[in-house]
Protein backbone atom coordinates (compact mmCIF):
# COMPACT_ATOMS: atom_id res chain seq x y z
CA UNK A 1 0.00 0.00 0.00
CA UNK A 2 1.26 3.47 -0.84
CA UNK A 3 -0.32 6.56 0.66
CA UNK A 4 -0.55 9.47 -1.76
CA UNK A 5 -2.07 12.55 -0.21
CA UNK A 6 -5.20 11.19 1.45
CA UNK A 7 -5.51 8.18 -0.91
CA UNK A 8 -4.35 4.65 -0.13
CA UNK A 9 -3.24 2.90 -3.32
CA UNK A 10 -3.18 -0.86 -2.83
CA UNK A 11 -1.72 -2.60 -4.73
CA UNK A 12 0.55 0.25 -5.94
CA UNK A 13 -0.40 -0.40 -9.56
CA UNK A 14 -2.85 1.56 -11.70
CA UNK A 15 -3.92 2.31 -15.23
CA UNK A 16 -2.42 5.46 -16.73
CA UNK A 17 -5.00 7.95 -18.02
CA UNK A 18 -5.85 6.77 -21.53
CA UNK A 19 -8.46 6.12 -24.19
CA UNK A 20 -9.29 2.77 -22.56
CA UNK A 21 -10.42 4.53 -19.37
CA UNK A 22 -12.91 6.61 -21.29
CA UNK A 23 -16.46 5.29 -20.69
CA UNK A 24 -18.56 3.80 -17.91
CA UNK A 25 -17.93 0.13 -18.80
CA UNK A 26 -14.16 0.65 -19.00
CA UNK A 27 -14.08 2.49 -15.67
CA UNK A 28 -16.24 -0.20 -14.04
CA UNK A 29 -13.89 -2.96 -15.32
CA UNK A 30 -10.87 -1.09 -13.89
CA UNK A 31 -12.69 -0.57 -10.60
CA UNK A 32 -13.62 -4.27 -10.37
CA UNK A 33 -10.10 -5.48 -11.30
CA UNK A 34 -8.35 -6.80 -8.15
CA UNK A 35 -4.92 -5.90 -9.58
CA UNK A 36 -5.45 -2.13 -9.76
CA UNK A 37 -5.06 0.01 -6.65
CA UNK A 38 -6.80 3.03 -8.18
CA UNK A 39 -8.66 3.96 -11.35
CA UNK A 40 -7.44 6.93 -13.38
CA UNK A 41 -9.88 8.40 -15.91
CA UNK A 42 -9.05 9.62 -19.38
CA UNK A 43 -8.36 13.37 -19.35
CA UNK A 44 -11.62 15.30 -19.06
CA UNK A 45 -12.39 18.95 -19.76
CA UNK A 46 -15.44 21.07 -18.96
CA UNK A 47 -16.83 20.99 -22.52
CA UNK A 48 -15.38 17.72 -23.83
CA UNK A 49 -12.87 17.48 -26.70
CA UNK A 50 -14.01 17.53 -30.34
CA UNK A 51 -12.84 14.07 -31.40
CA UNK A 52 -12.86 12.99 -35.06
CA UNK A 53 -11.48 10.21 -37.28
CA UNK A 54 -7.96 11.69 -37.17
CA UNK A 55 -7.79 10.79 -33.47
CA UNK A 56 -6.79 7.16 -33.10
CA UNK A 57 -4.14 4.70 -31.95
CA UNK A 58 -1.93 2.13 -33.69
CA UNK A 59 0.03 -0.74 -32.17
CA UNK A 60 3.49 -1.66 -33.47
CA UNK A 61 4.08 -5.22 -34.65
CA UNK A 62 7.70 -5.58 -33.47
CA UNK A 63 7.27 -4.57 -29.80
CA UNK A 64 4.61 -3.49 -27.29
CA UNK A 65 4.64 0.07 -28.57
CA UNK A 66 1.75 2.40 -29.38
CA UNK A 67 1.46 5.60 -31.38
CA UNK A 68 -1.64 7.71 -30.70
CA UNK A 69 -3.08 10.92 -32.03
CA UNK A 70 -5.85 11.34 -29.45
CA UNK A 71 -6.54 14.62 -27.73
CA UNK A 72 -8.63 14.65 -24.57
CA UNK A 73 -11.83 12.72 -23.86
CA UNK A 74 -14.90 13.66 -25.88
CA UNK A 75 -16.92 13.17 -22.67
CA UNK A 76 -17.35 16.15 -20.38
CA UNK A 77 -16.09 16.29 -16.81
CA UNK A 78 -19.73 16.27 -15.61
CA UNK A 79 -20.18 12.90 -17.34
CA UNK A 80 -17.16 11.43 -15.48
CA UNK A 81 -18.49 12.76 -12.19
CA UNK A 82 -21.84 11.08 -12.72
CA UNK A 83 -20.22 7.78 -13.86
CA UNK A 84 -17.94 7.74 -10.80
CA UNK A 85 -20.89 8.60 -8.57
CA UNK A 86 -22.86 5.65 -9.94
CA UNK A 87 -19.93 3.18 -9.68
CA UNK A 88 -19.20 4.16 -6.08
CA UNK A 89 -22.83 4.26 -4.97
CA UNK A 90 -23.48 0.83 -6.55
CA UNK A 91 -20.40 -0.56 -4.76
CA UNK A 92 -21.70 0.88 -1.50
CA UNK A 93 -25.19 -0.55 -1.86
CA UNK A 94 -24.16 -4.06 -3.01
CA UNK A 95 -21.22 -4.89 -0.68
CA UNK A 96 -21.01 -5.25 3.08
CA UNK A 97 -17.57 -3.67 3.02
CA UNK A 98 -17.45 -1.65 -0.19
CA UNK A 99 -14.15 -1.26 -2.03
CA UNK A 100 -12.09 1.70 -0.90
CA UNK A 101 -10.41 1.89 -4.30
CA UNK A 102 -9.81 5.54 -5.18
CA UNK A 103 -10.71 7.25 -8.43
CA UNK A 104 -8.30 9.80 -9.84
CA UNK A 105 -9.91 12.16 -12.32
CA UNK A 106 -7.49 13.33 -14.98
CA UNK A 107 -8.30 16.89 -15.98
CA UNK A 108 -6.70 19.74 -17.84
CA UNK A 109 -7.16 23.49 -18.26
CA UNK A 110 -5.10 26.38 -19.56
CA UNK A 111 -7.20 29.16 -17.96
CA UNK A 112 -7.60 29.72 -14.23
CA UNK A 113 -11.39 30.17 -14.59
CA UNK A 114 -11.70 26.71 -16.15
CA UNK A 115 -9.52 25.18 -13.44
CA UNK A 116 -11.72 26.85 -10.80
CA UNK A 117 -14.85 25.33 -12.38
CA UNK A 118 -13.23 21.90 -12.61
CA UNK A 119 -12.05 21.87 -9.00
CA UNK A 120 -15.37 23.22 -7.71
CA UNK A 121 -17.29 20.46 -9.52
CA UNK A 122 -14.97 17.73 -8.18
CA UNK A 123 -15.07 19.14 -4.66
CA UNK A 124 -18.88 19.34 -4.76
CA UNK A 125 -19.06 15.59 -5.43
CA UNK A 126 -16.38 14.78 -2.81
CA UNK A 127 -18.35 16.72 -0.20
CA UNK A 128 -21.62 14.89 -0.92
CA UNK A 129 -20.86 11.73 1.09
CA UNK A 130 -17.83 9.98 2.65
CA UNK A 131 -17.84 7.37 -0.14
CA UNK A 132 -16.90 10.12 -2.65
CA UNK A 133 -14.06 11.55 -0.57
CA UNK A 134 -11.75 8.93 -2.09
CA UNK A 135 -11.48 10.89 -5.34
CA UNK A 136 -8.27 12.65 -6.35
CA UNK A 137 -7.34 14.83 -9.28
CA UNK A 138 -4.49 14.58 -11.81
CA UNK A 139 -3.59 17.67 -13.83
CA UNK A 140 -2.50 16.56 -17.30
CA UNK A 141 0.18 19.03 -18.45
CA UNK A 142 1.52 16.85 -21.21
CA UNK A 143 -0.74 15.83 -24.11
CA UNK A 144 1.40 16.23 -27.27
CA UNK A 145 -1.53 15.95 -29.72
CA UNK A 146 -3.41 19.24 -29.28
CA UNK A 147 -3.18 21.23 -32.52
CA UNK A 148 -1.63 24.66 -31.99
CA UNK A 149 -0.96 24.07 -28.31
CA UNK A 150 2.32 22.80 -26.85
CA UNK A 151 2.20 20.52 -23.81
CA UNK A 152 2.10 23.04 -20.95
CA UNK A 153 4.53 20.99 -18.86
CA UNK A 154 7.37 22.00 -21.19
CA UNK A 155 7.02 25.62 -20.01
CA UNK A 156 6.49 24.68 -16.40
CA UNK A 157 6.87 28.15 -14.87
CA UNK A 158 3.95 29.38 -17.00
CA UNK A 159 1.72 26.91 -15.14
CA UNK A 160 1.93 28.80 -11.84
CA UNK A 161 -1.47 30.61 -12.08
CA UNK A 162 -3.31 27.36 -12.83
CA UNK A 163 -1.28 25.44 -10.22
CA UNK A 164 -2.18 28.14 -7.71
CA UNK A 165 -5.88 27.38 -8.24
CA UNK A 166 -5.19 23.74 -7.36
CA UNK A 167 -2.99 24.70 -4.41
CA UNK A 168 -5.70 27.04 -3.07
CA UNK A 169 -8.26 24.23 -3.31
CA UNK A 170 -5.89 22.03 -1.30
CA UNK A 171 -5.38 24.76 1.31
CA UNK A 172 -9.16 24.96 1.71
CA UNK A 173 -9.42 21.16 2.00
CA UNK A 174 -6.14 19.27 2.38
CA UNK A 175 -7.87 15.90 1.90
CA UNK A 176 -7.85 16.71 -1.85
CA UNK A 177 -5.09 14.64 -3.46
CA UNK A 178 -3.47 16.42 -6.41
CA UNK A 179 -1.09 14.86 -8.94
CA UNK A 180 0.67 16.21 -12.01
CA UNK A 181 1.04 14.25 -15.23
CA UNK A 182 4.32 15.39 -16.75
CA UNK A 183 5.75 15.17 -20.27
CA UNK A 184 8.97 13.26 -20.93
CA UNK A 185 11.85 15.66 -20.27
CA UNK A 186 15.17 15.27 -22.01
CA UNK A 187 17.73 17.35 -20.11
CA UNK A 188 18.52 18.06 -16.45
CA UNK A 189 17.47 21.71 -16.23
CA UNK A 190 13.89 20.72 -17.08
CA UNK A 191 13.59 18.54 -13.98
CA UNK A 192 15.19 21.26 -11.83
CA UNK A 193 12.70 23.81 -13.16
CA UNK A 194 9.76 21.62 -12.13
CA UNK A 195 11.18 21.37 -8.59
CA UNK A 196 11.97 25.09 -8.37
CA UNK A 197 8.44 25.98 -9.47
CA UNK A 198 6.84 23.55 -7.03
CA UNK A 199 9.02 24.90 -4.22
CA UNK A 200 7.75 28.39 -5.02
CA UNK A 201 4.16 27.12 -4.92
CA UNK A 202 4.53 25.88 -1.34
CA UNK A 203 6.19 29.05 -0.10
CA UNK A 204 3.76 31.43 -1.79
CA UNK A 205 1.68 31.45 1.44
CA UNK A 206 2.74 31.55 5.07
CA UNK A 207 3.53 28.28 6.83
CA UNK A 208 0.36 28.52 8.96
CA UNK A 209 -1.85 28.85 5.91
CA UNK A 210 -0.09 25.96 4.15
CA UNK A 211 -0.64 23.80 7.24
CA UNK A 212 2.03 21.43 8.53
CA UNK A 213 4.72 21.71 5.87
CA UNK A 214 2.98 19.36 3.42
CA UNK A 215 3.11 20.23 -0.26
CA UNK A 216 -0.20 20.74 -2.14
CA UNK A 217 1.06 18.46 -4.92
CA UNK A 218 1.04 14.85 -3.68
CA UNK A 219 2.54 13.13 -6.72
CA UNK A 220 4.12 13.45 -10.14
CA UNK A 221 3.33 10.88 -12.83
CA UNK A 222 6.22 10.39 -15.27
CA UNK A 223 5.72 10.26 -18.16
CA UNK A 224 3.15 11.02 -20.82
CA UNK A 225 3.81 9.95 -24.43
CA UNK A 226 6.69 11.45 -26.42
CA UNK A 227 5.24 13.70 -29.10
CA UNK A 228 6.06 14.20 -32.77
CA UNK A 229 6.78 10.51 -33.34
CA UNK A 230 6.04 8.76 -36.63
CA UNK A 231 5.49 5.15 -37.67
CA UNK A 232 4.74 3.88 -41.17
CA UNK A 233 1.78 1.55 -41.78
CA UNK A 234 3.96 -1.53 -42.35
CA UNK A 235 5.29 -1.08 -38.80
CA UNK A 236 1.87 -1.39 -37.15
CA UNK A 237 -1.12 -3.70 -37.05
CA UNK A 238 -3.84 -3.13 -39.63
CA UNK A 239 -3.18 0.42 -40.90
CA UNK A 240 -3.98 1.17 -44.55
CA UNK A 241 -3.30 4.92 -44.49
CA UNK A 242 0.01 6.52 -45.64
CA UNK A 243 1.09 6.73 -42.02
CA UNK A 244 0.29 4.58 -38.98
CA UNK A 245 -2.05 7.34 -37.71
CA UNK A 246 -3.88 9.79 -40.01
CA UNK A 247 -2.09 12.79 -38.49
CA UNK A 248 1.30 11.20 -39.36
CA UNK A 249 2.68 12.49 -36.05
CA UNK A 250 1.56 11.29 -32.65
CA UNK A 251 2.68 10.36 -29.15
CA UNK A 252 4.79 7.23 -28.85
CA UNK A 253 4.47 5.01 -25.77
CA UNK A 254 5.17 1.49 -24.60
CA UNK A 255 8.53 -0.28 -24.99
CA UNK A 256 9.99 2.48 -27.19
CA UNK A 257 9.39 5.05 -24.44
CA UNK A 258 10.62 2.90 -21.56
CA UNK A 259 14.28 4.02 -21.25
CA UNK A 260 13.30 7.70 -21.33
CA UNK A 261 10.50 7.15 -18.79
CA UNK A 262 12.94 5.30 -16.50
CA UNK A 263 15.37 8.21 -16.85
CA UNK A 264 12.63 10.70 -15.95
CA UNK A 265 11.64 8.72 -12.85
CA UNK A 266 15.30 8.36 -11.86
CA UNK A 267 15.94 12.10 -12.33
CA UNK A 268 13.02 13.10 -10.09
CA UNK A 269 14.02 10.48 -7.52
CA UNK A 270 17.55 11.97 -7.35
CA UNK A 271 16.12 15.47 -6.88
CA UNK A 272 13.87 14.20 -4.10
CA UNK A 273 16.80 12.49 -2.44
CA UNK A 274 18.76 15.75 -2.48
CA UNK A 275 15.83 17.71 -1.02
CA UNK A 276 16.28 18.91 2.56
CA UNK A 277 14.51 16.69 5.12
CA UNK A 278 12.37 19.67 6.19
CA UNK A 279 11.24 20.43 2.62
CA UNK A 280 7.51 20.16 1.92
CA UNK A 281 8.44 18.38 -1.31
CA UNK A 282 10.12 15.50 0.54
CA UNK A 283 6.90 13.43 0.54
CA UNK A 284 6.26 13.80 -3.20
CA UNK A 285 5.35 10.37 -4.61
CA UNK A 286 6.61 9.34 -8.06
CA UNK A 287 4.26 7.34 -10.27
CA UNK A 288 6.32 5.57 -12.94
CA UNK A 289 4.60 5.32 -16.33
CA UNK A 290 6.09 4.54 -19.74
CA UNK A 291 6.80 1.13 -21.22
CA UNK A 292 5.59 -0.82 -18.23
CA UNK A 293 4.72 -3.83 -20.38
CA UNK A 294 5.92 -6.71 -18.14
CA UNK A 295 6.46 -7.51 -14.47
CA UNK A 296 10.18 -6.96 -15.10
CA UNK A 297 9.55 -3.49 -16.51
CA UNK A 298 7.38 -2.67 -13.47
CA UNK A 299 10.28 -3.74 -11.25
CA UNK A 300 12.68 -1.51 -13.23
CA UNK A 301 10.35 1.44 -12.59
CA UNK A 302 10.51 0.73 -8.87
CA UNK A 303 14.33 0.43 -9.03
CA UNK A 304 14.49 3.80 -10.78
CA UNK A 305 12.50 5.37 -7.91
CA UNK A 306 8.76 4.94 -8.57
CA UNK A 307 6.53 4.06 -5.60
CA UNK A 308 3.54 3.37 -7.84
CA UNK A 309 3.57 2.01 -11.38
CA UNK A 310 1.09 2.70 -14.18
CA UNK A 311 0.41 1.38 -17.66
CA UNK A 312 -1.55 2.38 -20.75
CA UNK A 313 -0.19 0.60 -23.85
CA UNK A 314 -0.21 -2.91 -22.35
CA UNK A 315 -3.66 -2.20 -20.91
CA UNK A 316 -4.83 -1.12 -24.38
CA UNK A 317 -3.66 -4.42 -25.87
CA UNK A 318 -4.66 -6.81 -23.10
CA UNK A 319 -7.55 -5.17 -21.26
CA UNK A 320 -7.51 -5.43 -17.45
CA UNK A 321 -5.56 -8.72 -17.74
CA UNK A 322 -2.56 -6.38 -18.18
CA UNK A 323 -2.56 -5.70 -14.46
CA UNK A 324 -2.43 -9.42 -13.65
CA UNK A 325 0.57 -9.66 -16.01
CA UNK A 326 2.27 -6.69 -14.34
CA UNK A 327 1.66 -8.28 -10.93
CA UNK A 328 3.68 -11.29 -12.12
CA UNK A 329 0.70 -13.65 -11.94
CA UNK A 330 0.54 -14.57 -15.64
C1 LIG B 1 -4.31 5.74 -26.62
C2 LIG B 1 -3.72 6.56 -25.52
C3 LIG B 1 -4.48 7.59 -24.94
C4 LIG B 1 -3.92 8.37 -23.91
N1 LIG B 1 -4.68 9.34 -23.32
C5 LIG B 1 -4.19 10.02 -22.26
C6 LIG B 1 -5.01 10.94 -21.55
O1 LIG B 1 -6.20 11.13 -21.82
N2 LIG B 1 -4.42 11.62 -20.52
C7 LIG B 1 -3.11 11.42 -20.13
O2 LIG B 1 -2.65 12.04 -19.17
N3 LIG B 1 -2.34 10.53 -20.78
C8 LIG B 1 -2.84 9.83 -21.82
N4 LIG B 1 -2.06 8.89 -22.44
C9 LIG B 1 -0.67 8.69 -22.00
C10 LIG B 1 -0.59 7.54 -20.98
O3 LIG B 1 -1.22 7.87 -19.78
C11 LIG B 1 0.87 7.20 -20.65
O4 LIG B 1 1.45 8.31 -20.02
C12 LIG B 1 1.72 6.83 -21.87
O5 LIG B 1 0.99 6.08 -22.79
C13 LIG B 1 2.96 6.03 -21.43
O6 LIG B 1 2.56 4.83 -20.81
P1 LIG B 1 2.62 3.42 -21.60
O7 LIG B 1 3.99 3.28 -22.12
O8 LIG B 1 2.23 2.41 -20.56
O9 LIG B 1 1.59 3.51 -22.69
C14 LIG B 1 -2.60 8.11 -23.46
C15 LIG B 1 -1.87 7.06 -24.05
C16 LIG B 1 -2.41 6.29 -25.04
C17 LIG B 1 -1.58 5.17 -25.62
Amino acid sequence: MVKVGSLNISPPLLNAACAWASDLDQLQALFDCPYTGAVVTRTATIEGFAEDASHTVAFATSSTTSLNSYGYSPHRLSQYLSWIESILSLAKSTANSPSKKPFIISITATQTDDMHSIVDAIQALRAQAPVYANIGVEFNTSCPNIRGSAPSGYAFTDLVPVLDVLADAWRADNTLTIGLKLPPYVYGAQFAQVFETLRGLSTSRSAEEDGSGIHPIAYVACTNTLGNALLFPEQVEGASTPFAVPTALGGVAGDTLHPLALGNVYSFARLLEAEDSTSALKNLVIVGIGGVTSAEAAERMRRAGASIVGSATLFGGEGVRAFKILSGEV
Side-chain angles (χ1 to χ4, degrees):
M1 196 264 281
V2 173
K3 194 165 173 70
V4 188
S6 68
L7 307 179
N8 292 325
I9 315 269
S10 177
L13 179 63
L14 40 74
N15 69 289
C18 64
W20 306 287
S22 193
D23 64 27
L24 176 60
D25 288 348
Q26 292 166 334
L27 295 174
Q28 184 75 59
L30 285 163
F31 185 74
D32 294 339
C33 173
Y35 299 96
T36 60
V39 179
V40 186
T41 71
R42 189 177 185 186
T43 300
T45 52
I46 301 272
E47 296 298 339
F49 180 82
E51 191 168 277
D52 61 37
S54 72
H55 301 113
T56 188
V57 61
F59 289 93
T61 44
S62 62
S63 69
T64 310
T65 288
S66 65
L67 181 76
N68 91 84
S69 54
Y70 284 115
Y72 305 122
S73 178
H75 306 298
R76 294 162 184 239
L77 173 68
S78 56
Q79 178 69 82
Y80 283 99
L81 293 173
S82 86
W83 281 335
I84 291 170
E85 186 177 350
S86 74
I87 292 171
L88 291 177
S89 53
L90 181 72
K92 185 168 172 257
S93 63
T94 53
N96 285 335
S97 55
S99 163
K100 294 268 193 307
K101 188 180 289 189
F103 270 96
I104 297 174
I105 306 179
S106 170
I107 53 95
T108 198
T110 49
Q111 305 298 320
T112 53
D113 284 358
D114 287 345
M115 188 56 98
H116 270 296
S117 307
I118 287 171
V119 171
D120 288 352
I122 292 173
Q123 287 295 62
L125 175 59
R126 290 186 71 245
Q128 251 180 51
V131 66
Y132 305 126
N134 237 3
I135 296 173
V137 59
E138 180 174 289
F139 176 22
N140 179 2
T141 70
S142 43
C143 181
N145 298 329
I146 309 300
R147 263 170 233 140
S149 168
S152 55
Y154 284 123
F156 203 81
T157 49
D158 294 351
L159 284 174
V160 168
V162 184
L163 288 173
D164 267 336
V165 175
L166 288 168
D168 284 344
W170 178 86
R171 286 183 190 103
D173 167 14
N174 67 14
T175 69
L176 178 66
T177 300
I178 302 168
L180 299 179
K181 179 74 172 286
L182 300 176
Y185 295 119
V186 291
Y187 58 92
Q190 294 176 306
F191 300 95
Q193 188 184 60
V194 171
F195 257 55
E196 278 306 309
T197 308
L198 292 182
R199 239 184 247 118
L201 201 66
S202 72
T203 53
S204 61
R205 300 287 161 88
S206 72
E208 296 96 284
E209 274 175 295
D210 276 351
S212 73
I214 302 169
H215 199 277
I217 305 301
Y219 75 89
V220 287
C222 320
T223 74
N224 210 314
T225 60
L226 180 64
N228 265 68
L230 186 148
L231 289 173
F232 286 101
E234 66 273 19
Q235 296 178 281
V236 301
E237 293 165 7
S240 53
T241 44
F243 300 101
V245 293
T247 48
L249 301 171
V252 74
D255 290 342
T256 301
L257 181 65
H258 190 53
L260 184 58
L262 286 173
N264 273 244
V265 167
Y266 178 84
S267 300
F268 277 119
R270 294 293 73 75
L271 284 175
L272 270 182
E273 213 173 59
E275 200 68 9
D276 193 90
S277 61
T278 58
S279 163
L281 275 176
K282 200 71 185 171
N283 295 324
L284 194 74
V285 168
I286 301 173
V287 180
I289 300 170
V292 177
T293 60
S294 64
E296 292 74 21
E299 180 51 28
R300 283 192 289 273
M301 271 298 183
R302 289 187 282 267
R303 273 170 64 196
S307 306
I308 297 174
V309 169
S311 161
T313 297
L314 185 72
F315 169 43
E318 296 282 341
V320 292
R321 183 174 172 272
F323 303 103
K324 192 171 184 183
I325 296 172
L326 296 179
S327 306
E329 291 195 22
V330 176

